[in-house]
Amino acid sequence: ELKSVENFNICAKIKNLKLRKTDKKIPDRLTIEEIEIILNSIDYDTKSGLKGLAIFALLYDSAIRVQELCDLTVNDLELNKTPFTVFIANGKGSKKRIVPISESVKNIILEYLKVYNITEGYLFLNKNQKQYTRKGINYQLNKFYQLAKSDSTDATLFTYDKIHPHMLRHSKATHMIENNINLLYVRDFLGHEHFTSSEIYTKISSKKRDELILETSEILPLKKQKTFKEKENLENWLKSTTLNK
């Protein structure tokens, strides 16, 4: 039996075995072009469209987690200061942080607050005037994602059947790295405690990186490639000289 004294040492050794390290999976993310198409496809002249735009834009711009978004209150917004910020009072691990947001997103939020006449309480409420759940936010994002896909003339731009809120966080972090933002700032922006949590974004292949590699390869002094016939003639000549020796 496992509880017997003679098996205690075996169980202790098994418990102390180190797990093999594996590479972290590259997170799903959207391109900047996809983000732009989605935001531009939302009809914010309607109330529901304006709310959807505010949710989508704030999730991407601030890279906050979906539960952090659900928990946001009007008092967490600092829109009268520069830079404009959002206060995350209850982040992952009960940590607090302040996240800057762009002026364009600030204006979207202000318009949303005005149209919905929201002055206190949770920033986003569902149709039942209750706090949004993760499932509710996920539904909102996919509604507008599918709309953008159906309106797009190039279906190849959209690589996913569905998206999830955390993809916007991954997307923002990736785009920051691609724009040469220091990993230290990316880590603090995301609210990561360790660099290892943020380093995954440095491994994601980007169009910019590929372009730089191609530009570098083009400056190499490579000679004109021989044609297949030229190679065949060269090989025959080599064979003949070898046989003659």
Side-chain angles (χ1 to χ4, degrees), residues 29-233:
R29 74 278 183 198
L30 301 172
T31 65
I32 291 180
E33 188 173 12
E34 284 177 293
I35 297 289
E36 290 177 345
I37 292 174
I38 295 167
L39 292 176
N40 289 328
S41 68
I42 299 176
D43 182 10
Y44 50 86
D45 288 332
T46 65
K47 287 187 68 175
S48 61
L50 179 59
K51 179 194 287 186
L53 179 65
I55 290 173
F56 206 107
L58 184 57
L59 265 179
Y60 171 74
D61 194 50
S62 64
I64 59 178
R65 301 176 178 89
V66 61
Q67 190 57 53
E68 293 170 346
L69 180 82
C70 294
D71 292 338
L72 277 184
T73 67
V74 176
N75 291 334
D76 293 327
L77 305 176
E78 289 285 359
L79 303 179
N80 296 320
K81 294 183 179 181
T82 304
F84 318 110
T85 61
V86 173
F87 176 62
I88 308 300
N90 190 26
K92 188 175 181 180
S94 299
K95 295 177 183 177
K96 301 176 182 180
R97 72 183 190 281
I98 296 176
V99 180
I101 59 172
S102 64
E103 184 173 3
S104 58
V105 173
K106 180 208 76 166
N107 291 333
I108 293 172
I109 298 298
L110 286 176
E111 182 67 16
Y112 161 76
L113 292 173
K114 178 182 176 181
V115 170
Y116 277 84
N117 193 28
I118 298 174
T119 57
E120 60 181 3
Y122 288 115
L123 180 59
F124 296 110
L125 298 173
N126 61 23
K127 62 181 180 181
N128 297 320
Q129 297 302 298
K130 301 291 184 181
Q131 179 187 14
Y132 259 107
T133 63
R134 297 175 182 226
K135 186 177 180 180
I137 296 296
N138 189 67
Y139 171 79
Q140 285 285 329
L141 296 187
N142 275 286
K143 178 174 69 174
F144 294 108
Y145 181 70
Q146 298 302 331
L147 177 64
K149 284 180 67 175
S150 62
D151 287 347
S152 177
T153 55
D154 187 357
T156 61
L157 289 174
F158 298 89
T159 54
Y160 301 100
D161 294 328
K162 294 182 179 180
I163 62 173
H164 55 81
H166 218 62
M167 286 176 67
L168 298 184
R169 180 175 167 86
H170 294 322
S171 302
K172 178 69 174 184
T174 304
H175 300 158
M176 290 175 73
I177 293 293
E178 290 177 347
N179 281 279
N180 301 318
I181 302 298
N182 191 291
L183 187 61
L184 174 65
Y185 301 135
V186 176
R187 183 202 66 176
D188 292 344
F189 180 72
L190 297 175
H192 287 159
E193 184 175 359
H194 303 291
F195 274 112
T196 53
S197 300
S198 308
E199 283 178 341
I200 184 65
Y201 300 109
T202 65
K203 300 178 181 179
I204 298 176
S205 59
S206 66
K207 183 178 180 181
K208 180 179 291 186
R209 185 199 64 184
D210 293 342
E211 289 175 350
L212 289 173
I213 292 174
L214 288 174
E215 288 176 8
T216 304
S217 65
E218 288 176 358
I219 67 174
L220 293 176
L222 297 177
K223 295 181 179 180
K224 182 182 177 182
Q225 294 294 311
K226 294 182 180 296
T227 64
F228 178 78
K229 187 64 178 178
E230 288 173 329
K231 289 182 179 179
E232 186 179 32
N233 292 338

Side-chain angles (χ1 to χ4, degrees), residues 234-245:
L234 178 61
E235 289 172 358
N236 290 334
W237 178 80
L238 288 171
K239 288 178 181 179
S240 64
T241 56
T242 303
L243 290 174
N244 291 333
K245 286 184 177 180

